Amino acid sequence: MVHGEVWTAKELFVYPNEYIYWTIQIVMYPFMTGLVAGAFVLSSLYHVFGVKQLKEIARFSLVFSFALLPVAMMPLLLHLQFPFRGIEVMMTPHFTSAIAAFGIVFTTYGMIVAAELWFVYRKYFVETALELRQLTGRSVTQQFRYVLYSVLTLGAWDISEQALEKDERAVKLLAGTGIPVACFLHGYAGFIFGSVKANALWMTPLMPVIFICSAVVSGIALCIVTYIATMEIRKALHAWKQKSSPALPLLDEMKSAELQVVTMTARYLVMFLILAITLELLDLIFRGYTAVKSWDILRSVIYGKDFVNIFVIQYGMGNLIPFFLLLLPRLTIRRAVAGTLLVLLGVFMMRWNVVIGGQAFSSSFSGFMHYHLPIWPDNLETFKEGLFGALLVAITPFVLFWGLNKVIPVFPVKDTH
Amino acid sequence: MISRRNFCKKAMLFIGGVAVPVAGLEIFNPQRLLAEKQDPAKVRWVFLVDTRKCVGCGFCVRACKLENEIPYDANVSRTWVERYVVTRDGKVHTDSPKAARDGFTTKAIDQAGKGMLEIRDEDITKAFFVPKLCNQCENPPCVQVCPVGATYQTPDGVVLVDRTWCIGCGYCVMGCPYGVRFFHPVYKAAEKCNFCYHRISKGMKSACVEACPFGARTIGNIKDPEDPVTRIIMTERVAVLKEEYGTKPQVFYLGMSKEVK
């Protein structure tokens, strides 16, 4: 079997070598990268622009952005025919290729987030390490934690007022530089598609901008959902623990998600959502208005074959409904969850319609290709590029976030920035 | 004792100091300078397809598959032949069953998922065959987008793929407007026609040219004015495929029809 043959169905005249080569992993790739960039932009709103209401979600989204970071690479690696050669993109970059530049931007961005996190949590590292140092007869876990936190301080033990002020300035600077890099990171993901001149659907200079806007939308949406979910889970867990041992005190910080934080964040979400939809519609109208050679086949895909995916799921369920859900007065947590989940669906479908929709027609402009998502894998290829591969990518950031939370607690335990 | 600040400073100085002479070695490579001073290439391979001579026998496709070790039954091919049938109502019907490996054995048009389409002879206004292969573009998008430089262009104009370097991302496959690229079923790396570079660089003809019984396919050197292929390209009305993409394709067609995509 040729790569791509399993999940591609052809119709009318398609060049013999044409198959759906970019599958669900390439849908996951801009989706996950978008989440990274979006989460970071959200945290920067507090750190750089001083939006005080977002303080609580800012640190949360910064850590979450870091947890998402390695996952942005994962779909690419799962998609490569030679995953072990993937590192060559960094070792022998070919600078006329958008993917090669992506690797560099991605690393830069990763370092910025890591550095920012370090400055945010430095005080916590030092305090925890000092606390553990005082303990005599440390257990194995305590010893491990002591070594870990001592290493994490990187030798900077000074937590005087002035030192912490310096930290704060560094955070602000890093968050400031991070915003353009985050936008660049995702703009590049859009550029990878927008610069493929052979593909009539992708070939538009608007692609990077559209991708950035929807990235911010999806990132903020995911942060809201995860924020609410973790807050509720923590509360539920604590209540459950209390039931078994009633002696446990009622902790103040075990509160529900704060509605005012959610409302404020939702407002930013809607703002970016409007921007994203406007640009997408502009692109669509412009294509129809100019109606160049490719418009005939594009129209048959957009208004015919992909109508449900584009207009019903993406624009209807993913944009229009959440728009009302989030904007109508007296927002509740439940409605916010429903709205943001739909927004996530909308952004995912936008990626799907770009990646899969872009391959739905042949470069001969006279045939079509359909992608049948492999569900139950029968070999490595159908696993990697099928439903389970995508789920693996989707679950990983939450596992990483859980692990990170063990080392750098996201929720207010001690006062950090 | 050396302080951390000092250590960092000295380390940076050392790395910088080492990097400069190492970079110098590359910049002043005398052999490369000499090579670049002289005319980089006396050869530029081009292909000429005479669509008026092609009968769709598929000998070229078979020869190519055998020569270049593309699994015979795999549904991919470095070269293929398209059949165009234009009917009275102005519709264009196209197909290339199994890349025309076995020629066109039936009059019915293969519409893939839509089944076979029978067309009555009296409804046909014109019909012809068009062989396709890699265009070895002057401005190849596949070379531009390859993130690791595994696809590259030789000085004599042929675009090659390094199988041991390809990471298999598929960017080049997506970037080619002609749809000539695919993944090799065995080697898994990106694959495409290379004008049988291993043959032409030894003075032989490419496998498809050798196999064509009607002389529909020819290969030549555009930098040699005496070359018969060059003479035809220079003196007759030839066309290229998808010129609007700006790739400057180097496969020229004689007797091209507007229906060809």
Side-chain angles (χ1 to χ4, degrees):
Chain A
M1 271 295 209
V2 179
H3 180 66
E5 207 175 346
V6 184
W7 50 73
T8 310
K10 295 183 178 184
E11 192 185 319
L12 299 173
F13 177 61
V14 172
Y15 291 139
N17 296 336
E18 277 186 311
Y19 292 98
I20 305 267
Y21 285 108
W22 281 2
T23 57
I24 190 159
Q25 289 298 356
I26 301 299
V27 178
M28 291 305 284
Y29 155 64
F31 186 65
M32 299 317 278
T33 320
L35 294 176
V36 179
F40 185 81
V41 169
L42 180 60
S43 83
S44 299
L45 284 176
Y46 165 70
H47 288 300
V48 181
F49 302 109
V51 184
K52 289 271 181 293
Q53 295 96 319
L54 296 181
K55 183 179 177 185
E56 197 158 328
I57 208 166
R59 189 175 31 187
F60 171 85
S61 49
L62 183 65
V63 177
F64 201 47
S65 170
F66 194 61
L68 280 165
L69 202 61
V71 185
M73 237 17 179
M74 228 171 113
L76 271 185
L77 284 179
L78 283 171
H79 173 258
L80 291 186
Q81 295 285 301
F82 300 98
F84 295 116
R85 289 186 198 166
I87 192 71
E88 302 293 2
V89 179
M90 304 295 290
M91 299 299 165
T92 56
H94 187 236
F95 287 107
T96 56
S97 169
I99 292 184
F102 173 83
I104 291 151
V105 178
F106 180 83
T107 321
T108 315
Y109 175 73
M111 289 191 288
I112 289 176
V113 179
E116 191 180 334
L117 264 180
W118 183 76
F119 279 116
V120 168
Y121 279 97
R122 198 178 67 84
K123 188 181 168 212
Y124 174 76
F125 294 152
V126 174
E127 280 174 351
T128 320
L130 286 177
E131 226 168 73
L132 287 163
R133 184 187 283 177
Q134 256 128 45
L135 287 177
T136 41
R138 288 184 285 264
S139 66
V140 181
T141 352
Q142 279 169 333
Q143 180 63 25
F144 173 73
R145 270 166 54 87
Y146 172 62
V147 173
L148 176 72
Y149 283 109
S150 304
V151 169
L152 280 175
T153 61
L154 299 180
W157 293 87
D158 183 7
I159 45 168
S160 63
E161 223 23 70
Q162 291 122 313
L164 289 180
E165 234 167 69
K166 266 190 197 166
D167 281 4
E168 213 156 314
R169 274 207 301 277
V171 168
K172 202 165 184 174
L173 185 77
L174 283 168
T177 27
I179 296 176
V181 181
C183 290
F184 207 57
L185 173 76
H186 203 66
Y188 244 115
F191 191 84
I192 288 174
F193 295 99
S195 62
V196 177
K197 62 180 167 189
N199 192 303
L201 186 77
W202 298 345
M203 174 49 185
T204 161
L206 279 182
M207 203 56 99
V209 199
I210 292 175
F211 266 58
I212 291 171
C213 289
S214 52
V216 178
V217 170
S218 63
I220 296 179
L222 186 68
C223 280
I224 295 179
V225 176
T226 322
Y227 169 72
I228 294 173
T230 32
M231 285 308 228
E232 295 302 320
I233 290 170
R234 271 159 53 87
K235 203 175 75 169
L237 272 179
H238 191 73
W240 182 72
K241 266 187 206 158
Q242 233 175 6
K243 216 180 257 175
S244 50
S245 52
L248 267 179
L250 248 176
L251 284 180
D252 273 350
E253 60 256 30
M254 288 297 170
K255 56 196 171 193
S256 314
E258 298 227 22
L259 187 61
Q260 148 239 349
V261 173
V262 173
T263 317
M264 188 70 193
T265 323
R267 237 170 251 162
Y268 280 97
L269 172 71
V270 171
M271 199 174 81
F272 282 106
L273 188 63
I274 294 173
L275 207 60
I277 303 173
T278 315
L279 284 171
E280 278 170 48
L281 289 179
L282 171 69
D283 178 46
L284 195 63
I285 293 166
F286 195 83
R287 282 172 192 279
Y289 192 78
T290 52
V292 291
K293 194 176 160 197
S294 55
W295 176 241
D296 271 340
I297 192 132
L298 280 187
R299 189 176 46 197
S300 64
V301 169
I302 293 171
Y303 295 114
K305 299 196 181 289
D306 277 0
F307 184 84
V308 174
N309 279 352
I310 295 178
F311 292 100
V312 179
I313 307 184
Q314 185 191 328
Y315 287 121
M317 284 167 68
N319 292 343
L320 201 66
I321 297 176
F323 187 76
F324 287 116
L325 281 179
L326 297 173
L327 264 198
L328 284 178
R330 288 189 295 281
L331 182 71
T332 58
I333 294 281
R334 216 168 279 177
R335 214 168 73 203
V337 171
T340 42
L341 281 178
L342 281 176
V343 166
L344 281 174
L345 170 78
V347 175
F348 179 81
M349 282 316 289
M350 180 254 166
R351 313 299 198 223
W352 177 281
N353 292 333
V354 167
V355 175
I356 306 295
Q359 297 169 83
F361 55 91
S362 158
S363 337
S364 71
F365 289 167
S366 41
F368 300 96
M369 281 179 286
H370 307 284
Y371 173 54
H372 297 295
L373 176 75
I375 302 212
W376 203 247
D378 46 15
N379 57 30
L380 190 63
E381 194 176 82
T382 43
F383 168 75
K384 284 196 321 179
E385 312 241 16
L387 181 68
F388 285 92
L391 285 178
L392 181 73
V393 173
I395 292 165
T396 312
F398 297 99
V399 177
L400 288 179
F401 181 64
W402 176 81
L404 264 180
N405 195 33
K406 296 267 164 215
V407 184
I408 43 175
V410 176
F411 300 97
V413 178
K414 284 195 185 94
D415 199 32
T416 45
H417 303 292
Chain B
M1 201 183 126
I2 190 164
S3 72
R4 188 165 45 172
R5 177 177 290 266
N6 249 327
F7 172 75
C8 290
K9 261 187 188 168
K10 287 199 172 134
M12 298 277 268
L13 262 176
F14 177 75
I15 293 168
V18 170
V20 169
V22 169
L25 284 177
E26 171 60 27
I27 292 167
F28 302 113
N29 180 346
Q31 274 170 321
R32 204 161 137 188
L33 278 179
L34 189 71
E36 272 168 21
K37 242 169 115 182
Q38 292 165 347
D39 188 10
K42 297 225 178 324
V43 182
R44 204 310 172 196
W45 296 106
V46 291
F47 211 92
L48 181 69
V49 178
D50 192 341
T51 55
R52 298 165 307 189
K53 289 181 183 166
C54 180
V55 301
C57 64
F59 280 18
C60 49
V61 181
R62 239 166 299 161
C64 173
K65 282 212 155 187
L66 296 174
E67 174 72 29
N68 294 298
E69 294 169 326
I70 307 300
Y72 198 65
D73 286 318
N75 285 322
V76 282
S77 184
R78 284 182 168 207
T79 183
W80 67 90
V81 181
E82 289 166 9
R83 166 169 65 177
Y84 286 81
V85 176
V86 185
T87 45
R88 231 179 259 283
D89 52 8
K91 279 192 182 148
V92 184
H93 306 277
T94 319
D95 71 344
S96 181
K98 274 221 165 255
R101 184 193 73 186
D102 308 317
F104 294 86
T105 49
T106 161
K107 274 189 177 180
I109 299 282
D110 182 4
Q111 301 185 100
K114 288 224 161 172
M116 305 294 282
L117 176 75
E118 298 277 351
I119 301 174
R120 291 186 309 161
D121 284 357
E122 51 270 38
D123 288 339
I124 299 173
T125 50
K126 64 174 166 182
F128 49 87
F129 300 100
V130 179
K132 294 267 181 90
L133 67 163
C134 173
N135 284 274
Q136 314 295 352
C137 310
E138 199 58 54
N139 179 18
C142 53
V143 172
Q144 183 186 28
V145 298
C146 177
V148 289
T151 287
Y152 59 99
Q153 195 171 24
T154 60
D156 47 7
V158 178
V159 175
L160 301 177
V161 186
D162 185 343
R163 271 181 197 156
T164 62
W165 211 253
C166 172
I167 61 171
C169 64
Y171 205 5
C172 58
V173 183
M174 289 294 144
C176 176
Y178 306 98
V180 296
R181 282 179 165 262
F182 56 96
F183 283 115
H184 196 287
V186 179
Y187 302 113
K188 307 283 177 203
E191 178 81 22
K192 69 170 192 68
C193 156
N194 58 6
F195 279 2
C196 282
Y197 200 62
H198 57 288
R199 292 172 62 98
I200 57 172
S201 51
K202 283 184 200 142
M204 298 156 80
K205 286 175 187 164
S206 67
C208 58
V209 172
E210 199 86 64
C212 182
F214 305 97
R217 288 173 176 252
T218 37
I219 192 163
N221 171 17
I222 195 93
K223 289 202 174 166
D224 174 12
E226 297 307 312
D227 193 312
V229 171
T230 309
R231 239 187 258 161
I232 293 176
I233 293 172
M234 292 304 179
T235 56
E236 297 204 31
R237 282 171 286 180
V238 288
V240 290
L241 292 170
K242 304 195 182 195
E243 204 178 357
E244 64 274 18
Y245 286 102
T247 54
K248 299 184 187 136
Q250 299 297 312
V251 172
F252 298 90
Y253 285 86
L254 266 171
M256 180 87 100
S257 185
K258 73 177 173 66
E259 289 84 6
V260 179
K261 287 153 188 155

